[in-house]
């Protein structure tokens, strides 16, 4: 132990892409120093601005070996917990069937509902772990996971419990969203309003009561729920004190974004068909636009989300995997960075902000997403020279180490690229 040490760890010999607003692009600090104390960032700045010689400031000094540190990555929209797969539908779509045709014929989401209802909690966890592990290998430290493949009380709650368990089994923060309004279940095929009634009277209150829902989501679309039905779900969420978010304007302009904004939604997601008025509404309510290029790609969508419109209105943009078995069987947030740039024409800096600063905001978390003093010390050290490399390369994972609440993950300790120098 160093006499008079104030911090637990001090990282040196690295640059920091802090993603803080207002400074250099990426909030970049070259020749940076990052001090960590009690799981929080205590110092984020230039090494030259350290208040004392490094060895006297921390119990442990770590060498970043010339890499780049970013905030821990945040995947703010996933349907990661489910049973089965939809590879056969993938074949059908390649043969010409559309996503909506398959959904109307009882496949799509409902096929995953059948497979998910058949699994107990352990089996759901086991099926989901490989997907989670793939995301963690790329530096994800916070993930949102939705229900929505149960569409009846027990399975919805089981999905949410499985999601919580994943957060106990792995070094990641899991934020759950109740998405009982994902599709109309077969039992209510001819009475969707009765399902919404059950959802608002029983399913959602049970999830809230059990502490299993951090937020409430819905799919507002012609193949799912109308704006009027979505409003009922949101009103119940509000009464229960839960924030809302919405799958909006994915396949058509249903006015979902304006509805989400009216309820002060944390985020409105997808948004390919977002109108000018919808964008203005999101801006007014401070709602984050979560873009999902994986679903755009897999569905061979041609309608681009109006990125310029979002920029003009000053709507914060986040990016996420939408990891799900139908429209986005993708477990790589780094690939999503590349797709955000190549398909949606985001800049690499916007893309990185989309999986850090703005993704945190989309989850209502104000203690992460940027590297700044006082924030949670969730960070990733990358073996790269410039942050644009994260969006640029495909199939290469340059992660050298993940830091969660101040601690380098045990599996990354002793990693070739990271050595403790004292
Ligand atoms: N939109 C989507 O892209 C996913 N859910 C949603 O509301 C798709 C889910 C699935 O096809 O299983
Ligand atoms: Fe989704």
């Amino acid at each position: 132990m160093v006499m008079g040490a104030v911090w637990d760890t001090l990282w040196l010999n690295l640059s920091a892409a802090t993603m803080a607003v207002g400074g250099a692009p990426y909030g970049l600090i070259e020749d940076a120093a990052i001090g960590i104390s009690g799981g929080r960032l205590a110092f984020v700045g230039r090494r030259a601005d350290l208040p004392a010689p490094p060895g006297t400031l921390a119990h442990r000094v770590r060498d970043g070996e010339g890499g780049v540190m970013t905030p821990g990555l945040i995947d703010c929209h996933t349907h990661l917990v489910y049973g089965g797969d939809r590879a056969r539908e993938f074949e059908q779509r390649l043969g010409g069937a559309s996503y909506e045709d398959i959904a109307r014929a009882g496949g799509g989401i409902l096929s995953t509902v059948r497979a998910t209802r058949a699994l107990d909690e352990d089996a759901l966890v086991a099926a989901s772990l490989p997907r989670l592990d793939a995301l963690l290998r790329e530096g994800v430290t916070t993930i949102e996971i939705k229900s929505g493949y149960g569409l009846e009380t027990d399975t919805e709650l089981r999905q949410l419990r499985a999601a919580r368990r994943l957060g106990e089994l792995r070094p990641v923060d899991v934020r759950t969203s109740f998405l009982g309004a994902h599709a109309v279940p077969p039992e209510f095929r001819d009475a969707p309003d009765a399902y919404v009634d059950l959802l608002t009277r029983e399913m959602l209150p049970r999830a809230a009561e059990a502490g299993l829902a951090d937020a409430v989501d819905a799919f507002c679309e012609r193949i799912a729920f109308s704006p009027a039905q979505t409003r009922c779900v949101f009103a119940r969420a509000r009464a229960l004190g839960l924030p809302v978010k919405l799958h909006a304007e994915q396949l058509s302009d249903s006015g979902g974004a304006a509805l989400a904004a009216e309820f002060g939604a944390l985020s409105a997601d997808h948004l390919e068909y977002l109108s000018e008025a919808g964008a203005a509404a999101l801006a007014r309510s401070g709602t984050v636009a979560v873009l999902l290029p994986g679903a755009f790609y897999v569905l061979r969508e041609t309608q681009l989300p109006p990125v310029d419109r979002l920029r003009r209105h000053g709507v914060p943009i986040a990016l996420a995997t939408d990891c799900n078995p139908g429209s986005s069987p993708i477990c790589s947030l780094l690939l999503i960075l590349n797709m955000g740039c190549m398909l949606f024409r985001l800049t690499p800096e916007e893309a990185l902000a989309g999986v850090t600063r703005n993704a945190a905001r989309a989850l209502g978390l104000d203690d992460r997403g940027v590297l700044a003093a006082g924030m949670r010390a969730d960070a990733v050290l990358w073996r790269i020279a410039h942050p644009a490399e994260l969006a640029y390369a495909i199939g290469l994972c340059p992660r050298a180490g993940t830091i969660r609440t101040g601690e380098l993950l045990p599996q990354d300790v002793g990693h070739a690229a990271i050595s403790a120098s004292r």
Side-chain angles (χ1 to χ4, degrees):
M1 190 204 277
V2 184
M3 292 305 292
V6 285
W7 302 329
D8 301 325
T9 310
L10 173 60
W11 284 86
L12 296 174
N13 189 22
L14 74 177
S15 337
T18 67
M19 304 315 290
V21 188
Y26 300 92
L28 194 68
I29 302 171
E30 282 172 71
D31 199 6
I34 310 264
I36 297 172
S37 190
R40 299 258 161 187
L41 295 166
F43 181 92
V44 178
R46 297 189 314 142
R47 177 182 180 142
D49 295 335
L50 279 173
T56 67
L57 283 170
H59 295 298
R60 187 173 50 201
V61 178
R62 284 198 191 272
D63 182 355
E65 307 231 340
V68 176
M69 192 172 279
T70 66
L73 303 192
I74 300 171
D75 194 350
C76 68
H77 178 142
T78 86
H79 309 248
L80 184 108
V81 172
Y82 60 82
D85 71 84
R86 305 240 290 277
R88 290 283 297 119
E89 286 182 13
F90 173 61
E91 290 186 326
Q92 286 171 13
R93 284 205 313 276
L94 289 171
S98 80
Y99 182 78
E100 287 188 68
D101 292 342
I102 294 170
R104 288 204 180 87
I109 292 173
L110 293 186
S111 117
T112 300
V113 168
R114 288 187 288 277
T116 303
R117 286 179 178 179
L119 297 188
D120 65 17
E121 191 182 314
D122 287 347
L124 267 180
V125 168
S128 307
L129 269 175
R131 297 188 277 270
L132 180 62
D133 285 340
L135 290 165
L136 299 193
R137 276 195 293 277
E138 292 187 346
V140 167
T141 52
T142 299
I143 185 171
E144 186 257 15
I145 301 178
K146 304 173 194 297
S147 66
Y149 291 122
L151 310 185
E152 45 86 16
T153 310
D154 285 351
T155 312
E156 286 289 311
L157 297 184
R158 193 157 73 246
Q159 263 193 287
L160 294 170
R161 277 197 303 271
R164 289 272 193 248
R165 276 233 343 254
L166 291 172
E168 290 156 14
L169 291 169
R170 292 292 187 267
V172 64
D173 270 30
V174 171
R175 304 293 292 179
T176 53
S177 299
F178 173 82
L179 178 56
H182 194 195
V184 177
E187 302 79 14
F188 288 87
R189 223 184 102 139
D190 302 314
D193 285 335
Y195 177 63
V196 174
D197 199 49
L198 175 72
L199 187 152
T200 52
R201 274 189 304 103
E202 180 188 310
M203 298 166 67
L204 175 51
R206 290 266 310 272
E209 204 172 281
L212 287 170
D214 298 317
V216 176
D217 195 351
F219 188 17
C220 184
E221 189 58 65
R222 54 195 177 204
I223 55 166
F225 296 89
S226 68
Q229 292 166 330
T230 303
R231 179 180 290 279
C232 295
V233 176
F234 280 4
R236 195 75 188 107
R238 177 180 279 172
L240 292 163
L242 291 172
V244 299
K245 45 182 54 239
L246 189 65
H247 284 70
E249 274 63 294
Q250 178 184 7
L251 307 171
S252 62
D253 181 6
S254 315
L259 180 63
E262 184 188 325
F263 280 81
L266 291 172
S267 70
D269 304 37
H270 286 287
L271 302 176
E272 276 81 347
Y273 290 83
L274 179 70
S275 67
E276 186 74 32
L282 294 180
R284 278 195 300 276
S285 60
T287 299
V288 176
V290 177
L291 304 184
L292 304 164
F296 175 93
Y297 168 80
V298 170
L299 298 182
R300 293 176 185 275
E301 180 58 75
T302 51
Q303 171 85 22
L304 282 161
V307 167
D308 269 336
R309 184 170 280 166
L310 292 168
R311 287 188 184 116
R312 246 190 304 111
H313 285 278
V315 178
I317 297 173
L319 287 176
T321 60
D322 196 14
C323 174
N324 77 69
S327 65
S328 192
I330 295 175
C331 302
S332 169
L333 197 52
L334 292 181
L335 175 61
I336 294 298
L337 286 184
N338 181 270
M339 286 184 174
C341 297
M342 296 304 299
L343 300 175
F344 294 172
R345 310 275 165 101
L346 296 181
T347 66
E349 184 186 0
E350 286 173 323
L352 191 56
V355 297
T356 54
R357 187 178 71 237
N358 293 340
R361 191 164 158 188
L363 296 179
L365 300 171
D366 58 9
D367 64 348
R368 66 196 76 184
V370 297
L371 300 178
M375 302 292 266
R376 253 173 81 114
D378 286 358
V380 182
L381 180 68
W382 307 93
R383 214 177 288 108
I384 56 176
H386 189 275
E389 288 177 53
L390 295 178
Y392 151 79
I394 298 177
L396 186 72
C397 180
R399 190 185 67 91
T402 297
I403 295 153
R404 180 158 182 266
T405 51
E407 292 301 319
L408 187 59
L409 294 187
Q411 58 264 40
D412 297 332
V413 175
H415 195 287
I418 301 173
S419 54
S421 53
R422 47 182 315 137

